[in-house]
Amino acid sequence: MFADGGFELHLVGGPVRDAVLRRRVSDLDFTTDARPESTEAILRANCSTVWTTGADFGTIGGLFRGEQVEVTTFRADAYDRVSRNPIVQYGDNLVDDLERRDFTVNAMAVSVPGHEFTDPFGGLADIARQTIRTPASPESSFADDPLRMLRAARFAAQLGFGIDPETLDAMRRMAPELGRITAERIRDEFTKLLMAPDPVVGLRLLVDTGLAEQFLPELPALRMEIDEHAQHKDVYEHSLQVLRNAIALEQDGPDLLLRLAALLHDIGKPETKDVVPGGGVTFHHHDVAGARLARRRMRELRFPKADVQAVSLLISLHLRFYGYGEAGWTDSAVRRYVTDAGPQLDRLHLLVRSDCTTRNRRKAERLRRDYDAFEERIARIRAEEDLRAVRPDLDGNAIMELLGLPPGPQVGRAWAYLKELRLERGPMPREEAESELRAWAAREGL
């Protein structure tokens, strides 16, 4: 179609790289010498759906024979190296377009329909060497778009590649430049890194280069802390291992909220560290401090509110289980655990299991058995009482009718009392619930 219109068209970037690596190729990215208005006209004549959300950057997308495609005009971007976005300038040749791309492994192209392979910057050789390297000098590339430094760590995690020494050195020297990038772009790139097959590789790069210090300083701050649960590791190493443990327990693909909670579950320890007589170390209430810090950091990175709430809840609850096997819990305590976890209960199960990194096999086995028994107990109580929706035995209408109350805060207080009672005792017959409510109302003077 493009050739018939007198235009060049090349498959470019990630699809070419992934095809070389024999990885799954999904969305198809193309580059062309056609200007966006010509691209849009061609796609509208041949695609079932067309979108122009990227038109300001020269990109037109469409659905062609069931495949999602995006076609971008050759670029020769100019950067003022101060603002957060490039000034879009269109180029007139493929090589200049490839040179402005982030890494050599993404700077290869295949022409269509001719199928000519273009690799002016050695991307194929870098794939063979499993190396991440910039087409232009790393200083120039990162000065143009500092987010590329974060992207280098992400590709290392996704592909299992190392980073070229010159490129790595530039990342260390230029890490503060990341401050020019919007929180949303950093969040999106960091999320992609966390969802990689082995995000620990990328996270280590972020910490070692100083990039993490720019947007997640709580992570490098863990390196000097000692973990009281596993004396052979500091909290940083422990947290990375918990993340890997959590990934191993995932059953339905990568789970961003679980991975965030696993990585950040101990970030409250530096703030709560205390050395006790005899040389011991404690981190009292680090779960509370960690939930607060995670909530603040995720808000600054513009994560959705629901995600912030879920991760901070998981962190705040991750210690509650410890001591269950020794002290024993009442059914009421189990109900509260389930109720407080709410829809995050299944993730909480995985987080607590992942938090065991001890080399003491006997201790690890005991903790595993205890949690197996705990989950079985939850299942039993849930089957008996439908714990997923612990609600008072009387609803608001019944409360108002029984006590002769109008709608208002007094009804809410009565409802909260009945809920607490249900958590303590489990379901009650209606007569008993009504009797308890009347007694409470008398004590309250209602």
Side-chain angles (χ1 to χ4, degrees), residues 44-69:
R44 288 197 182 280
N46 296 276
C47 291
S48 58
T49 302
V50 172
W51 53 90
T52 59
T53 51
D56 289 344
F57 296 95
T59 301
I60 308 296
L63 197 62
F64 179 73
R65 297 180 183 175
E67 299 286 346
Q68 182 169 305
V69 302

Side-chain angles (χ1 to χ4, degrees), residues 407-425:
Q410 291 176 334
V411 178
R413 288 170 51 215
W415 189 91
Y417 170 74
L418 287 176
K419 181 176 179 179
E420 286 296 311
L421 203 61
R422 192 186 195 284
L423 286 169
E424 289 293 337
R425 299 185 187 178

Side-chain angles (χ1 to χ4, degrees), residues 3-67:
D4 288 345
F7 301 113
E8 293 181 41
L9 187 71
H10 305 265
L11 187 68
V12 69
V16 178
R17 177 201 69 222
D18 289 342
V20 170
L21 287 167
R22 299 295 188 267
R23 288 162 53 95
R24 179 176 176 271
V25 175
S26 50
D27 301 340
L28 302 178
D29 297 326
F30 295 88
T31 188
T32 181
D33 59 347
R35 292 299 191 255
E37 57 273 15
S38 299
T39 296
E40 183 178 353
I42 292 172
L43 294 188
R44 288 197 182 280
N46 296 276
C47 291
S48 58
T49 302
V50 172
W51 53 90
T52 59
T53 51
D56 289 344
F57 296 95
T59 301
I60 308 296
L63 197 62
F64 179 73
R65 297 180 183 175
E67 299 286 346

Side-chain angles (χ1 to χ4, degrees), residues 185-211:
R185 291 185 71 205
I186 292 175
R187 174 203 63 208
D188 291 347
E189 197 62 51
F190 181 58
T191 295
K192 291 176 183 177
L193 187 158
L194 276 182
M195 299 294 272
D198 186 6
V200 171
V201 170
L203 292 168
R204 288 192 186 280
L205 283 167
L206 295 183
V207 171
D208 293 346
T209 58
L211 286 164

